[in-house]
Amino acid sequence: MFEMEFFGLVLLVLVVALLASMFRVLREYERGVIFMLGRFYKVKGPGLIIIVPVLQQMVRVDLRTIVMDVPTQDVISRDNVSVQVNAVIYFRVLDPEKAIIQVENYLEATSQLSQTTLRSVLGQHELDDMLAERERLNADIQDILDKQTSAWGIKVANVELKHVDLNETMVRAIAKQAEAERERRAKVIHAMGESEAAEKLAEAAQVLSHQDQAIQLRYLQTLVEIASDKSNTIVFPLPVDILAKLKGEES
């Protein structure tokens, strides 16, 4: 009698455990990839699903966007400059079936692919492009990753370069280059100013050459400027018409 009760209790526990293992609850952002005797059966979820013990197995897949940090990579640019670059990628699973069946570990595969793609794309550009055209480089890397991971049911939404680190020698070289560029611009602006001033002076001289009164007014203005300055300069005004008469007598 005791053995029958014990056997019944054990059987009841097994039945309860079996029934409990049949019911699974998947959250809104989760899906379950179901295998029947080792073969793909279907994708279930979200909510309450039923799994036949022993015959079926389930693999959970998270559909939320995953933020993955790409480790720092040593990159040699097209102009032979060694830099250290790291980035961050945003991706999510669109097809749980492909993410489980087509690749062993889609997280590791995406991480390794992003590292090699980062080195390959940046190595085709010069250092100035890495520093000034990050948006275009981000778009190029994102496009390449998205095309290659689509076979795994992965959608790469965005790629962002975080840091482009240079050694101290290159930092000093870039600082010298920037300083030289500023000096060049200053000299160009100064030369342009001199050129514009020369053109205006030529125009003024041409106007004064046709107007004697204008020359006298300019002469008087010069005297006013000299008188306002605290100096020991002595000026003897001489009418311009007298000089003209003297020239006429000499000729």
Side-chain angles (χ1 to χ4, degrees):
M1 187 66 180
F2 177 76
E3 294 180 355
M4 293 295 296
E5 292 180 355
F6 178 77
F7 179 77
L9 181 61
V10 171
L11 183 60
L12 179 62
V13 171
L14 291 176
V15 170
V16 172
L18 186 63
L19 292 175
S21 64
M22 292 178 60
F23 298 98
R24 305 288 178 85
V25 177
L26 297 178
R27 298 180 178 88
E28 183 65 32
Y29 55 83
E30 291 180 328
R31 297 295 184 271
V33 180
I34 309 301
F35 292 90
M36 175 76 75
L37 296 177
R39 298 178 62 88
F40 172 74
Y41 177 60
K42 66 167 57 176
V43 176
K44 292 185 177 182
L48 179 65
I49 64 174
I50 299 176
I51 302 296
V52 179
V54 181
L55 298 180
Q56 294 181 339
Q57 297 83 34
M58 184 189 73
V59 180
R60 290 177 183 261
V61 179
D62 196 323
L63 301 185
R64 292 177 294 181
T65 298
I66 299 173
V67 181
M68 178 176 291
D69 185 67
V70 180
T72 301
Q73 303 294 310
D74 292 324
V75 179
I76 298 178
S77 64
R78 193 171 65 179
D79 51 350
N80 295 323
V81 178
S82 179
V83 297
Q84 291 186 334
V85 183
N86 66 338
V88 59
I89 62 174
Y90 301 84
F91 66 95
R92 60 190 296 262
V93 176
L94 291 183
D95 191 335
E97 176 188 352
K98 292 182 178 180
I100 297 300
I101 296 176
Q102 299 298 328
V103 63
E104 179 182 3
N105 187 334
Y106 66 89
L107 293 175
E108 181 66 21
T110 304
S111 175
Q112 294 297 326
L113 182 61
S114 63
Q115 295 177 38
T116 56
T117 304
L118 182 67
R119 291 194 299 267
S120 176
V121 172
L122 296 184
Q124 300 175 8
H125 295 80
E126 297 182 355
L127 177 61
D128 292 342
D129 295 336
M130 297 183 194
L131 299 176
E133 299 184 6
R134 289 197 179 188
E135 293 297 329
R136 181 169 64 88
L137 295 177
N138 291 339
D140 291 344
I141 297 173
Q142 184 267 334
D143 184 61
I144 293 174
L145 287 176
D146 190 39
K147 289 180 180 178
Q148 295 186 357
T149 57
S150 60
W152 306 336
I154 305 295
K155 172 62 178 178
V156 178
N158 194 18
V159 176
E160 292 290 340
L161 295 177
K162 294 174 63 177
H163 301 291
V164 179
D165 298 328
L166 305 172
N167 55 42
E168 294 296 330
T169 303
M170 283 304 305
V171 172
R172 289 194 295 268
I174 292 176
K176 290 181 180 178
Q177 180 183 4
E179 183 179 359
E181 178 65 19
R182 288 193 296 269
E183 291 180 357
R184 184 189 69 83
R185 292 180 181 177
K187 291 180 179 179
V188 169
I189 294 173
H190 180 71
M192 292 175 61
E194 293 289 342
S195 176
E196 293 178 1
E199 292 178 1
K200 296 300 181 182
L201 288 174
E203 294 176 1
Q206 187 176 5
V207 172
L208 291 174
S209 65
H210 293 85
Q211 299 290 335
D212 294 338
Q213 295 81 1
I215 296 177
Q216 293 180 5
L217 291 174
R218 182 59 182 165
Y219 175 70
L220 294 175
Q221 179 64 31
T222 304
L223 292 179
V224 172
E225 293 177 357
I226 294 175
S228 64
D229 188 15
K230 296 179 180 180
S231 63
N232 296 325
T233 303
I234 300 175
V235 179
F236 296 94
L238 183 64
V240 177
D241 55 352
I242 296 177
L243 293 177
K245 291 179 180 180
L246 292 176
K247 290 182 179 180
E249 293 176 356
E250 291 178 357
S251 60

